[in-house]
Each structure stands twice: as C-alpha cells, then as structure tokens.
Amino acid sequence: MTIPQTFFGSVLLLMLYACGQSIAKSRTSPLDYAELSRNDGWLLRVHGDGSGSLTHRQYPHHHLDYPLQTFDLSILRPVAQACQPGSDTASCYNLTYYRSAADRTRSCSCASSAPLDEAMNTAIANMQLTVDDPGSERSCRMLRRVWLAAR
C-alpha cells in the first residue's frame, strides 16, 4: 500500500501551522524601560520603543522627551543582567531595568559600561530632536548649559 504524496504535504503543512513561530525571549516590549542615573545628577530613561527622557536633578522641571527609535533598549538589558559593579563611583551609573513580560525589576548600584555611556552620549548628541515647542527649546538650552558646564 502506498501513501499519496499529497498526504505528506498535508502533514508537513499541518505541523508547520501547529508549531508556529518560536517566541523570541530577547524581544523588548514598549513597556520595558531602563533608568540610568549618575552621581552628577543626570537621569536618562529609555523605553522599549526607543523613546526616552532626560533630566537633571538641578532642574527637575526641565526635561527632554526623545522620539521613537532614538535609543536601543536591547543593548542595555545585558548590562543589567550581568551587573558588574565598577570601582570608580564618580563615573559609574545606577541602572534600573524593568522587564514587563516577567514584571521584574533589576537594579545595579554602580554599573560601568560602554553601552551606558553610549546611551547618555546619544541623549546629549540628539538634544535638538526633542525641540517641538518653546518650552522644550528652553529645557534644551538649560540642560545643554548644565552638560557643558560639567565638562
């Protein structure tokens, strides 16, 4: 007795639909976020959709809101997962990472890493992207002055 070839095709097609695509565990949700803060007063919050906000503790009412896809949150997650506290507390970041799929927050008290520096440098370099009204123009000027004065 022979089995028709259409039977094998049907079984294969059924297996593909039944199994479906695997869900990538490394995918970031728009609800995920990372907060980077430094001892010098800067606070950067990066959201899963690539948007973010920047503020300084000296000017809490002035903040900059970055558009979608300005940042890449997926490069910050490995830093939070493999928290290796640095020794130079003056240049390290306090990092908090929230993963919505697990409803879990990870914190690192003194993370020193190139991806964190890159995120902060992206925020400073793209300050002008946040200007969409006179209020954000003033915040941009104020925060740029603080950044330049610290350097």
Side-chain angles (χ1 to χ4, degrees), residues 37-60:
S37 61
R38 291 181 43 151
N39 293 335
D40 60 2
W42 289 100
L43 174 67
L44 174 64
R45 186 174 209 175
V46 177
H47 300 277
D49 59 7
S51 65
S53 62
L54 178 70
T55 190
H56 192 275
R57 74 172 161 238
Q58 189 175 359
Y59 299 101

Side-chain angles (χ1 to χ4, degrees), residues 88-99:
D88 183 12
T89 58
S91 65
C92 67
Y93 294 90
N94 295 318
L95 174 65
T96 302
Y97 189 93
Y98 174 73
R99 179 134 169 89

Side-chain angles (χ1 to χ4, degrees), residues 93-147:
Y93 294 90
N94 295 318
L95 174 65
T96 302
Y97 189 93
Y98 174 73
R99 179 134 169 89
S100 62
D103 193 25
R104 191 169 299 152
T105 303
R106 293 187 60 103
S107 296
C108 187
S109 61
C110 187
S112 180
S113 177
L116 303 179
D117 286 333
E118 181 182 333
M120 189 60 79
N121 290 335
T122 298
I124 299 303
N126 293 316
M127 280 182 164
Q128 200 59 38
L129 291 177
T130 66
V131 176
D132 57 1
D133 62 25
S136 59
E137 174 77 34
R138 180 164 186 225
S139 292
C140 184
R141 283 195 318 265
M142 295 293 287
L143 293 176
R144 188 179 305 272
R145 283 183 194 146
V146 172
W147 179 259

Side-chain angles (χ1 to χ4, degrees), residues 13-65:
L13 188 61
L14 182 61
M15 286 176 51
L16 286 174
Y17 281 120
C19 295
Q21 294 180 347
S22 62
I23 298 173
K25 292 184 179 180
S26 64
R27 186 181 292 167
T28 58
S29 164
L31 299 175
D32 295 353
Y33 68 85
E35 281 187 354
L36 291 73
S37 61
R38 291 181 43 151
N39 293 335
D40 60 2
W42 289 100
L43 174 67
L44 174 64
R45 186 174 209 175
V46 177
H47 300 277
D49 59 7
S51 65
S53 62
L54 178 70
T55 190
H56 192 275
R57 74 172 161 238
Q58 189 175 359
Y59 299 101
H61 297 293
H62 294 286
H63 66 278
L64 301 177
D65 294 319

Side-chain angles (χ1 to χ4, degrees), residues 3-14:
I3 301 175
Q5 289 182 349
T6 56
F7 175 75
F8 286 120
S10 299
V11 170
L12 180 62
L13 188 61
L14 182 61

